[in-house]
Amino acid sequence: MSWKVKRFDELTTKELYSILQERTQVFVVEQECPYLEVDGKDLNSYHLYKEENGEVAAYARLLPRGVSYKEASIGRVFVKKEYRGRGLAGELMTRSLNFIHGELGESEVKIQAQEYLRGFYGSFGFRTVTETYLDDGIPHIDMVLGK
C-alpha cells in the first residue's frame, strides 16, 4: 500500500476516476444522499489517498484556505468499507494535518464533520464551533483546529 498526495492536475484520469467512484459510493450511495458530489473544489485542492490492490482504500481532500473557508480544510474523508477497522482513518487524518501544517504552512483548519465523529476529530485537537445542524438530512457540526 502506498500513500500519495497530488494536485488535481497531477492525477491521472484513472486515479481521478477511482477517487470519484469511491467518493460517490460512500457519500451518495452508502449514505443515501443524492447531492452534487463533484462540486468544483477538486480543481483547487490536494488529494491524499492510499492505494491497495489497485483501488483507493482511503482518501481525503485537502483544501487550501479560501477554497471552502477562510481557513484550510479537510473534506470528503473516507475509508472504503473493506478497509475499515485497520487504523487507516487515524493515519489519514495524521497525514492530512501534517501536509496542511508542513507543506501549506497553515495553523488553522476548519472541517464540517458528521456529528457522530465529534470524538474522532476531537482526538486530533478539533473543537466544535457550531451547534448540530442537518446537512442533506445528516447531523453535522463545524469544528476548528488551531487558534
Side-chain angles (χ1 to χ4, degrees), residues 31-56:
Q31 295 182 0
E32 299 179 359
C33 284
Y35 74 102
L36 186 59
E37 208 292 319
V38 180
D39 59 5
K41 295 179 183 179
D42 292 309
L43 299 168
N44 299 308
S45 299
Y46 294 86
H47 304 270
L48 172 64
Y49 60 102
K50 185 167 198 154
E51 284 186 325
E52 184 170 325
N53 302 319
E55 60 187 15
V56 176

Side-chain angles (χ1 to χ4, degrees), residues 2-4 6 11 15 19 47-51 58-59:
S2 63
W3 286 98
K4 298 178 182 179
K6 294 185 175 187
L11 294 169
E15 289 168 328
I19 287 167
H47 304 270
L48 172 64
Y49 60 102
K50 185 167 198 154
E51 284 186 325
Y59 171 87

Side-chain angles (χ1 to χ4, degrees), residues 41 61-77 93 97 100-101 106-113 121 125-130 133 141-147:
K41 295 179 183 179
R61 180 168 72 175
L62 312 178
L63 302 99
R65 66 179 154 156
V67 176
S68 280
Y69 306 109
K70 65 179 176 99
E71 305 89 351
S73 186
I74 302 169
R76 301 295 201 264
V77 177
M93 283 304 297
L97 291 169
I100 287 173
H101 296 316
E106 298 292 340
S107 59
E108 290 185 284
V109 182
K110 183 175 182 178
I111 61 172
Q112 179 190 47
Y121 291 116
F126 283 92
R127 68 185 194 292
T128 304
V129 295
T130 65
Y133 59 91
I141 50 175
D142 291 351
M143 302 182 83
V144 174
L145 173 69
K147 299 176 184 172

Side-chain angles (χ1 to χ4, degrees), residues 114-129:
Q114 291 187 20
E115 204 283 329
Y116 82 95
L117 292 168
R118 178 191 306 251
F120 172 73
Y121 291 116
S123 73
F124 292 93
F126 283 92
R127 68 185 194 292
T128 304
V129 295

